[in-house]
Amino acid sequence: MKISSFFPEKRYVKTLALIFSILLLGIAESSFAIRESGSIIQVQRKIRMSESDPLPPKEYFIDLGSRDGLQAGDQLQVYRQLPVVNGQSGGPWHILRVRIGDLKVAYVGETSSLAREVEGRDLASLPPLEYQTFMLGDEVQRTMGLQKETSSP
């Protein structure tokens, strides 16, 4: 038996290499899928040096970054899952997803970002919450809207 019978002809080698590279590219692209929602992974506030200094803003680190299409200046909506007890029938609990405010992205890394709270949140419009500021684990979702316009001189 000839050794050449074990190897495909040259014209098939290029086709097999092309198919293999397309499959690898498809697997690589699916592992970097763009996500529209994430969560707050850390909350941080700098310390003020004296009582007369204003309280520094809280910084919220989120698990969305540039590979998810996020850019500095983007706004994110913040949601919290609230359990609701079915008190009438004693049945199972329900989960109510409540929007509790907005964040504005200040800095974007590849896989995470830093955002700050957008002013003007009406706390009276929210249901009673134990903790009214954003907290670890709250869901963030990109605001879908019109693209930013760029002005040309």
Side-chain angles (χ1 to χ4, degrees), residues 2-21:
K2 293 182 181 180
I3 292 180
S4 62
S5 64
F6 287 111
F7 296 105
E9 294 180 25
K10 288 183 182 180
R11 63 182 175 171
Y12 295 123
V13 172
K14 288 183 179 179
T15 306
L16 288 173
L18 180 63
I19 292 172
F20 184 70
S21 63

Side-chain angles (χ1 to χ4, degrees), residues 23-52:
L23 287 174
L24 283 179
L25 184 62
I27 292 170
E29 283 182 6
S30 66
S31 66
F32 293 112
I34 293 177
R35 297 182 308 144
E36 296 296 325
S37 65
S39 61
I40 296 175
I41 56 174
Q42 185 177 353
V43 180
Q44 182 176 330
R45 176 177 274 168
K46 295 178 180 161
I47 299 173
R48 60 182 170 182
M49 302 310 280
S50 70
E51 276 301 310
S52 62

Side-chain angles (χ1 to χ4, degrees), residues 9-128:
E9 294 180 25
K10 288 183 182 180
R11 63 182 175 171
Y12 295 123
V13 172
K14 288 183 179 179
T15 306
L16 288 173
L18 180 63
I19 292 172
F20 184 70
S21 63
I22 290 172
L23 287 174
L24 283 179
L25 184 62
I27 292 170
E29 283 182 6
S30 66
S31 66
F32 293 112
I34 293 177
R35 297 182 308 144
E36 296 296 325
S37 65
S39 61
I40 296 175
I41 56 174
Q42 185 177 353
V43 180
Q44 182 176 330
R45 176 177 274 168
K46 295 178 180 161
I47 299 173
R48 60 182 170 182
M49 302 310 280
S50 70
E51 276 301 310
S52 62
D53 289 344
L55 193 61
K58 283 187 179 177
E59 296 176 333
Y60 300 93
F61 293 87
I62 55 175
D63 63 352
L64 295 173
S66 61
R67 86 165 126 181
D68 298 305
L70 205 61
Q71 298 175 353
D74 286 353
Q75 282 203 341
L76 304 168
Q77 298 173 342
V78 181
Y79 293 91
R80 184 167 303 153
Q81 307 283 341
L82 299 176
V84 179
V85 180
N86 188 345
Q88 187 173 15
S89 67
W93 288 31
H94 300 280
I95 302 296
L96 180 64
R97 184 174 180 245
V98 178
R99 181 175 172 196
I100 58 173
D102 296 321
L103 291 174
K104 186 173 185 176
V105 177
Y107 175 80
V108 179
E110 184 179 348
T111 59
S112 60
S113 301
L114 177 129
R116 294 193 177 105
E117 183 176 353
V118 174
E119 298 296 322
R121 216 168 41 126
D122 182 19
L123 296 176
S125 68
L126 297 175

